[in-house]
Amino acid sequence: MEILVGLVGVLVAIAVVLLVVGIVVGRSLPVAHVASRAVTFPAAPERIWDAINDPALMRSRGVGDVNFETIESAPPRRLVRRVVGESSFGGTWTCELQPEAGGTSLVITENGEVYNAFFRFMSRYIVGHHRTIDSFIWALRKHLEAAPA
């Protein structure tokens, strides 16, 4: 029993230290960040455009329900969305599509903001700023493979 109590105490101490370090380091980080990924898919720009505008695909990206508004739409080349209604984070996602031989290049750029110092630390050093983009690209790839043209 004493060993269990000691182990729980050590785990709580580690959690407190991580929280304090996260807050201190997070305060030194900028609120804004830029993360970008480029990928090429063997599909026409119109097909990629339709997929990135599919609400089901947006929900499948693994980050829960995030509300956004479209602030620029130039089919099938450029789509810019802004996060709305969130108090912990914000920013925009810009999707740029370019036809290439045998497919389409997609560049996703996140101009993000993380307002909470601890979450800034987590986003930068633990989770990574690219995580949401990477999960979206993975979901898009699966979507395109499941429904061939």
Side-chain angles (χ1 to χ4, degrees):
M1 182 67 160
E2 291 178 18
I3 293 174
L4 182 60
V5 170
L7 183 59
V8 168
V10 168
L11 291 175
V12 168
I14 290 171
V16 169
V17 168
L18 180 62
L19 178 63
V20 171
V21 168
I23 291 171
V24 170
V25 172
R27 286 183 180 191
S28 71
L29 296 172
V31 170
H33 67 269
V34 177
S36 187
R37 291 281 199 236
V39 63
T40 300
F41 293 103
E46 294 78 14
R47 185 155 178 246
I48 305 297
W49 181 265
D50 290 344
I52 66 176
N53 280 284
D54 181 352
L57 180 64
M58 290 301 292
R59 285 189 302 274
S60 73
R61 63 197 160 102
V63 296
D65 293 328
V66 175
N67 293 320
F68 59 86
E69 66 181 351
T70 299
I71 58 174
E72 183 181 342
S73 180
R77 301 277 189 236
R78 184 174 165 88
L79 178 66
V80 182
R81 291 184 170 139
R82 177 177 39 224
V83 173
V84 294
E86 293 291 336
S87 60
S88 297
F89 61 90
T92 63
W93 263 32
T94 302
C95 297
E96 297 175 298
L97 294 85
Q98 184 69 37
E100 291 189 354
T104 301
S105 168
L106 170 64
V107 177
I108 301 174
T109 303
E110 174 181 291
N111 287 288
E113 298 175 345
V114 183
Y115 309 122
N116 178 288
F118 180 72
F119 293 152
R120 254 191 321 272
F121 167 79
M122 294 296 290
S123 177
R124 170 67 195 255
Y125 294 110
I126 307 298
V127 176
H129 293 316
H130 291 87
R131 179 176 178 249
T132 305
I133 295 173
D134 291 342
S135 66
F136 180 77
I137 289 171
W138 180 85
L140 178 56
R141 186 176 313 281
K142 292 296 176 193
H143 174 83
L144 294 170
E145 289 171 357

